[in-house]
Amino acid sequence: MNQPSVVVCVTDQQSCVRLIHEGSRISVENSLPLYVLSVVPLKVAPRSCGEALEYLFSASREAGAEMTVFYHCDVLSTALSFIHKRNAAHVVLGQGSTADSSFIKGMMEGCGASIHVVDKNGSKTDYPTSARLDYNRGA
């Protein structure tokens, strides 16, 4: 079996660099390899921002990570497949809007790793492997 790892899920936005930094911190802290993943939905692939992805590739390289980009219509299952293949012990996600919550919930239910959610302000919330999201928390 593969060595456990840290997987950072990013979109095609430069602001996702904060997720790579958090993933790098976790990777160093736990002496685990770091992977960065972007799954771009097919419907937005033609207008996907190549400049932002290049920026994230560069940030990934600087963090010692391998970055992979997939273009697929099923973002969640593609991401989960990658996470399982990389034997992720930690997954770093961004939280940008309420629309993201279904992706985060799907990750929590399907990946079997500790989830680390970083919001746009850089605030972090950690969910251990056995935790479930409580959408009423703090409401």
Side-chain angles (χ1 to χ4, degrees), residues 31-87:
S31 300
L32 298 174
L34 178 63
Y35 299 96
V36 176
L37 171 67
S38 180
V39 182
V40 181
L42 287 174
K43 63 184 175 189
V44 299
R47 58 186 167 90
S48 180
C49 184
E51 185 177 309
L53 286 176
E54 281 301 318
Y55 177 76
L56 296 173
F57 266 107
S58 177
S60 297
R61 266 191 309 276
E62 289 175 14
E66 173 186 311
M67 182 171 173
T68 303
V69 177
F70 290 109
Y71 295 92
H72 201 280
C73 57
D74 190 343
V75 174
L76 181 61
S77 68
T78 304
L80 286 171
S81 176
F82 183 89
I83 286 164
H84 289 295
K85 286 179 184 171
R86 295 291 184 252
N87 194 29

Side-chain angles (χ1 to χ4, degrees), residues 11 94-106 120 133 135:
T11 62
Q95 184 174 26
S97 68
T98 55
D100 297 334
S101 63
S102 64
F103 181 79
I104 294 170
K105 183 178 179 185
K120 287 187 175 190
L133 282 177
Y135 291 101

